[in-house]
mmCIF file of all heavy atoms in Angstrom:
data_model
loop_
_atom_site.group_PDB
_atom_site.id
_atom_site.type_symbol
_atom_site.label_atom_id
_atom_site.label_comp_id
_atom_site.label_asym_id
_atom_site.label_seq_id
_atom_site.Cartn_x
_atom_site.Cartn_y
_atom_site.Cartn_z
ATOM 1 N N GLU A 141 92.735 101.018 100.818
ATOM 2 C CA GLU A 141 93.053 101.631 99.526
ATOM 3 C C GLU A 141 94.394 101.146 98.990
ATOM 4 O O GLU A 141 94.532 100.926 97.788
ATOM 5 C CB GLU A 141 93.076 103.155 99.669
ATOM 6 C CG GLU A 141 91.698 103.773 99.559
ATOM 7 C CD GLU A 141 91.805 105.224 99.151
ATOM 8 O OE1 GLU A 141 92.553 105.949 99.816
ATOM 9 O OE2 GLU A 141 91.147 105.621 98.177
ATOM 10 N N LEU A 145 95.158 99.227 95.591
ATOM 11 C CA LEU A 145 96.217 99.600 94.644
ATOM 12 C C LEU A 145 97.004 98.359 94.213
ATOM 13 O O LEU A 145 97.307 98.175 93.026
ATOM 14 C CB LEU A 145 97.168 100.611 95.292
ATOM 15 C CG LEU A 145 98.420 100.960 94.480
ATOM 16 C CD1 LEU A 145 98.073 101.889 93.332
ATOM 17 C CD2 LEU A 145 99.485 101.592 95.357
ATOM 18 N N ARG A 147 95.897 95.380 94.214
ATOM 19 C CA ARG A 147 95.002 94.535 93.430
ATOM 20 C C ARG A 147 94.872 95.042 91.994
ATOM 21 O O ARG A 147 94.919 94.272 91.041
ATOM 22 C CB ARG A 147 93.628 94.503 94.091
ATOM 23 C CG ARG A 147 92.870 93.210 93.893
ATOM 24 C CD ARG A 147 91.966 92.934 95.068
ATOM 25 N NE ARG A 147 90.728 93.688 95.008
ATOM 26 C CZ ARG A 147 89.692 93.359 94.235
ATOM 27 N NH1 ARG A 147 89.763 92.314 93.451
ATOM 28 N NH2 ARG A 147 88.604 94.077 94.245
ATOM 29 N N ASN A 149 96.961 96.650 90.380
ATOM 30 C CA ASN A 149 98.208 96.404 89.659
ATOM 31 C C ASN A 149 98.531 94.918 89.544
ATOM 32 O O ASN A 149 99.622 94.548 89.140
ATOM 33 C CB ASN A 149 99.364 97.145 90.332
ATOM 34 C CG ASN A 149 99.360 98.622 90.002
ATOM 35 O OD1 ASN A 149 99.579 99.000 88.862
ATOM 36 N ND2 ASN A 149 99.057 99.449 90.968
ATOM 37 N N ARG A 150 97.589 94.110 89.911
ATOM 38 C CA ARG A 150 97.687 92.660 89.784
ATOM 39 C C ARG A 150 98.869 92.073 90.559
ATOM 40 O O ARG A 150 99.579 91.179 90.089
ATOM 41 C CB ARG A 150 97.785 92.250 88.306
ATOM 42 C CG ARG A 150 96.706 92.943 87.476
ATOM 43 C CD ARG A 150 96.372 92.236 86.227
ATOM 44 N NE ARG A 150 97.516 91.873 85.434
ATOM 45 C CZ ARG A 150 97.464 90.993 84.447
ATOM 46 N NH1 ARG A 150 96.326 90.400 84.168
ATOM 47 N NH2 ARG A 150 98.530 90.717 83.752
ATOM 48 N N GLN A 155 103.571 89.340 96.755
ATOM 49 C CA GLN A 155 104.015 90.707 96.465
ATOM 50 C C GLN A 155 103.284 91.704 97.355
ATOM 51 O O GLN A 155 103.878 92.643 97.870
ATOM 52 C CB GLN A 155 103.762 91.044 94.996
ATOM 53 C CG GLN A 155 104.770 90.423 94.042
ATOM 54 C CD GLN A 155 104.389 90.649 92.588
ATOM 55 O OE1 GLN A 155 103.210 90.626 92.236
ATOM 56 N NE2 GLN A 155 105.381 90.864 91.747
ATOM 57 N N LYS A 159 105.465 93.987 99.727
ATOM 58 C CA LYS A 159 105.616 95.380 99.332
ATOM 59 C C LYS A 159 104.603 96.313 99.980
ATOM 60 O O LYS A 159 104.800 97.521 99.980
ATOM 61 C CB LYS A 159 105.524 95.507 97.810
ATOM 62 C CG LYS A 159 106.716 94.888 97.106
ATOM 63 C CD LYS A 159 106.601 95.037 95.600
ATOM 64 C CE LYS A 159 107.759 94.372 94.888
ATOM 65 N NZ LYS A 159 109.040 95.076 95.119
ATOM 66 N N PRO A 163 105.579 96.426 105.117
ATOM 67 C CA PRO A 163 106.059 97.776 105.432
ATOM 68 C C PRO A 163 105.016 98.609 106.186
ATOM 69 O O PRO A 163 105.368 99.392 107.057
ATOM 70 C CB PRO A 163 106.347 98.392 104.062
ATOM 71 C CG PRO A 163 106.392 97.282 103.102
ATOM 72 C CD PRO A 163 105.629 96.143 103.674
ATOM 73 N N PRO A 239 111.609 108.855 108.913
ATOM 74 C CA PRO A 239 111.053 109.678 107.833
ATOM 75 C C PRO A 239 109.615 109.331 107.494
ATOM 76 O O PRO A 239 108.832 110.198 107.156
ATOM 77 C CB PRO A 239 111.977 109.384 106.648
ATOM 78 C CG PRO A 239 113.267 109.030 107.266
ATOM 79 C CD PRO A 239 112.951 108.383 108.583
ATOM 80 N N TRP A 240 109.291 108.055 107.570
ATOM 81 C CA TRP A 240 107.908 107.755 107.224
ATOM 82 C C TRP A 240 107.083 107.305 108.404
ATOM 83 O O TRP A 240 105.862 107.324 108.370
ATOM 84 C CB TRP A 240 107.836 106.737 106.100
ATOM 85 C CG TRP A 240 108.552 105.466 106.372
ATOM 86 C CD1 TRP A 240 109.858 105.198 106.138
ATOM 87 C CD2 TRP A 240 107.993 104.280 106.917
ATOM 88 N NE1 TRP A 240 110.142 103.925 106.508
ATOM 89 C CE2 TRP A 240 109.021 103.336 106.989
ATOM 90 C CE3 TRP A 240 106.697 103.928 107.352
ATOM 91 C CZ2 TRP A 240 108.816 102.052 107.480
ATOM 92 C CZ3 TRP A 240 106.506 102.666 107.833
ATOM 93 C CH2 TRP A 240 107.564 101.739 107.900
ATOM 94 N N GLU A 243 104.518 109.889 109.580
ATOM 95 C CA GLU A 243 103.280 110.098 108.838
ATOM 96 C C GLU A 243 102.278 108.986 109.093
ATOM 97 O O GLU A 243 101.085 109.221 109.153
ATOM 98 C CB GLU A 243 103.558 110.192 107.340
ATOM 99 C CG GLU A 243 102.336 110.659 106.593
ATOM 100 C CD GLU A 243 102.642 110.985 105.141
ATOM 101 O OE1 GLU A 243 103.103 110.109 104.419
ATOM 102 O OE2 GLU A 243 102.405 112.129 104.762
ATOM 103 N N LEU B 70 87.807 95.415 89.474
ATOM 104 C CA LEU B 70 87.906 95.293 90.930
ATOM 105 C C LEU B 70 86.613 94.747 91.519
ATOM 106 O O LEU B 70 86.598 94.168 92.591
ATOM 107 C CB LEU B 70 88.217 96.662 91.556
ATOM 108 C CG LEU B 70 89.625 97.210 91.362
ATOM 109 C CD1 LEU B 70 89.717 98.653 91.846
ATOM 110 C CD2 LEU B 70 90.639 96.352 92.109
ATOM 111 N N PRO B 88 91.428 92.766 87.189
ATOM 112 C CA PRO B 88 92.261 93.916 86.816
ATOM 113 C C PRO B 88 93.118 93.600 85.593
ATOM 114 O O PRO B 88 93.690 92.518 85.495
ATOM 115 C CB PRO B 88 93.127 94.130 88.057
ATOM 116 C CG PRO B 88 92.306 93.613 89.176
ATOM 117 C CD PRO B 88 91.568 92.428 88.610
ATOM 118 N N GLU B 90 96.249 94.521 82.760
ATOM 119 C CA GLU B 90 97.600 95.043 82.876
ATOM 120 C C GLU B 90 97.740 96.452 82.327
ATOM 121 O O GLU B 90 98.465 97.264 82.877
ATOM 122 C CB GLU B 90 98.556 94.098 82.148
ATOM 123 C CG GLU B 90 100.013 94.395 82.462
ATOM 124 C CD GLU B 90 100.938 93.408 81.759
ATOM 125 O OE1 GLU B 90 100.737 92.199 81.965
ATOM 126 O OE2 GLU B 90 101.812 93.851 81.019
ATOM 127 N N THR B 98 92.083 109.491 96.948
ATOM 128 C CA THR B 98 93.204 110.030 97.715
ATOM 129 C C THR B 98 94.486 109.661 96.967
ATOM 130 O O THR B 98 94.469 108.750 96.150
ATOM 131 C CB THR B 98 93.250 109.412 99.119
ATOM 132 O OG1 THR B 98 93.454 108.004 98.974
ATOM 133 C CG2 THR B 98 91.956 109.663 99.870
ATOM 134 N N ASN B 100 96.932 108.030 97.948
ATOM 135 C CA ASN B 100 97.156 106.607 98.186
ATOM 136 C C ASN B 100 98.613 106.220 97.937
ATOM 137 O O ASN B 100 98.893 105.196 97.321
ATOM 138 C CB ASN B 100 96.214 105.811 97.274
ATOM 139 C CG ASN B 100 95.932 104.418 97.801
ATOM 140 O OD1 ASN B 100 96.228 104.121 98.948
ATOM 141 N ND2 ASN B 100 95.393 103.565 96.958
ATOM 142 N N PRO B 103 103.819 105.772 102.390
ATOM 143 C CA PRO B 103 104.636 106.769 103.078
ATOM 144 C C PRO B 103 106.093 106.342 103.256
ATOM 145 O O PRO B 103 106.954 107.179 103.444
ATOM 146 C CB PRO B 103 103.940 106.944 104.426
ATOM 147 C CG PRO B 103 103.088 105.738 104.593
ATOM 148 C CD PRO B 103 102.714 105.288 103.212
ATOM 149 N N TRP B 104 106.332 105.021 103.199
ATOM 150 C CA TRP B 104 107.707 104.543 103.415
ATOM 151 C C TRP B 104 108.537 104.571 102.134
ATOM 152 O O TRP B 104 109.725 104.322 102.168
ATOM 153 C CB TRP B 104 107.695 103.130 103.996
ATOM 154 C CG TRP B 104 106.977 102.120 103.156
ATOM 155 C CD1 TRP B 104 107.497 101.370 102.154
ATOM 156 C CD2 TRP B 104 105.613 101.738 103.258
ATOM 157 N NE1 TRP B 104 106.539 100.556 101.626
ATOM 158 C CE2 TRP B 104 105.369 100.750 102.285
ATOM 159 C CE3 TRP B 104 104.545 102.133 104.085
ATOM 160 C CZ2 TRP B 104 104.120 100.154 102.103
ATOM 161 C CZ3 TRP B 104 103.316 101.547 103.905
ATOM 162 C CH2 TRP B 104 103.115 100.571 102.923
ATOM 163 N N PRO B 114 104.057 99.959 90.193
ATOM 164 C CA PRO B 114 103.451 99.046 89.204
ATOM 165 C C PRO B 114 104.499 98.299 88.376
ATOM 166 O O PRO B 114 104.285 97.136 88.031
ATOM 167 C CB PRO B 114 102.627 99.985 88.317
ATOM 168 C CG PRO B 114 102.371 101.189 89.151
ATOM 169 C CD PRO B 114 103.595 101.353 90.002
ATOM 170 N N GLU B 116 107.477 97.356 89.405
ATOM 171 C CA GLU B 116 108.015 96.282 90.244
ATOM 172 C C GLU B 116 107.098 95.062 90.195
ATOM 173 O O GLU B 116 107.555 93.926 90.098
ATOM 174 C CB GLU B 116 108.151 96.758 91.693
ATOM 175 C CG GLU B 116 109.281 97.744 91.893
ATOM 176 C CD GLU B 116 109.303 98.276 93.313
ATOM 177 O OE1 GLU B 116 108.744 97.627 94.224
ATOM 178 O OE2 GLU B 116 109.865 99.368 93.512
ATOM 179 N N ILE B 117 105.802 95.320 90.268
ATOM 180 C CA ILE B 117 104.848 94.216 90.242
ATOM 181 C C ILE B 117 104.901 93.498 88.898
ATOM 182 O O ILE B 117 104.814 92.272 88.829
ATOM 183 C CB ILE B 117 103.414 94.740 90.525
ATOM 184 C CG1 ILE B 117 103.339 95.406 91.892
ATOM 185 C CG2 ILE B 117 102.388 93.625 90.406
ATOM 186 C CD1 ILE B 117 103.695 94.522 93.055
ATOM 187 N N MET B 147 105.378 112.574 102.661
ATOM 188 C CA MET B 147 104.966 113.490 103.727
ATOM 189 C C MET B 147 105.502 114.908 103.508
ATOM 190 O O MET B 147 104.977 115.855 104.075
ATOM 191 C CB MET B 147 105.366 112.965 105.099
ATOM 192 C CG MET B 147 106.853 112.963 105.373
ATOM 193 S SD MET B 147 107.239 112.157 106.961
ATOM 194 C CE MET B 147 106.423 113.242 108.102
#
Side-chain angles (χ1 to χ4, degrees):
Chain A
E141 276 203 308
L145 173 76
R147 211 150 80 78
N149 282 293
R150 311 203 310 165
Q155 283 173 323
K159 291 180 182 291
W240 56 273
E243 190 170 59
Chain B
L70 287 171
E90 192 178 305
T98 62
N100 204 13
W104 58 88
E116 288 175 21
I117 300 300
M147 69 186 296

